[in-house]
Amino acid sequence: MTKIRKPLSIEQLKEIQMRSDSPDMRVVLWEVRRLREIAATADELDRSLGPRVGMSGLIRATLRVQLDDQPCFVGMQPPQ
């Protein structure tokens, strides 16, 4: 299985757009934005659910690790 690359920062995405501002590139960048919005929704949901216990807690902890590595959440503190 191929390892997924580290996420691109907003600055890197802007640089890519400046180098190739084609209609196709704009569609790809909107897709990135859409997926980041989904990640933001998952983050909000996880933070609102309270303590992580049982199997659902394990699933949420795994999700939290993935969300914390996303550029839109870097620097945010995980819930206590």
Side-chain angles (χ1 to χ4, degrees):
M1 187 160 105
T2 304
K3 184 171 172 113
I4 296 176
R5 290 179 166 188
K6 291 175 71 174
L8 297 171
S9 68
I10 296 295
E11 292 78 22
Q12 290 171 311
L13 291 170
K14 287 179 181 179
E15 289 172 11
I16 290 169
Q17 182 181 15
M18 291 177 70
R19 288 194 306 266
S20 176
D21 191 25
S22 70
D24 287 340
M25 183 55 66
R26 279 184 247 132
V27 169
V28 169
L29 291 172
W30 275 108
E31 180 66 5
V32 169
R33 182 173 180 174
R34 185 185 72 79
L35 294 171
R36 287 186 175 185
E37 287 292 327
I38 291 170
T41 301
D43 175 70
E44 186 177 339
L45 178 62
D46 177 56
R47 291 176 188 276
S48 71
L49 290 175
R52 294 184 193 112
V53 295
M55 183 56 72
S56 66
L58 178 62
I59 294 167
R60 287 176 53 211
T62 302
L63 174 63
R64 180 84 265 147
V65 169
Q66 292 178 337
L67 288 174
D68 286 343
D69 286 340
Q70 297 306 307
C72 43
F73 304 119
V74 170
M76 295 179 74
Q77 296 297 317
Q80 301 291 327

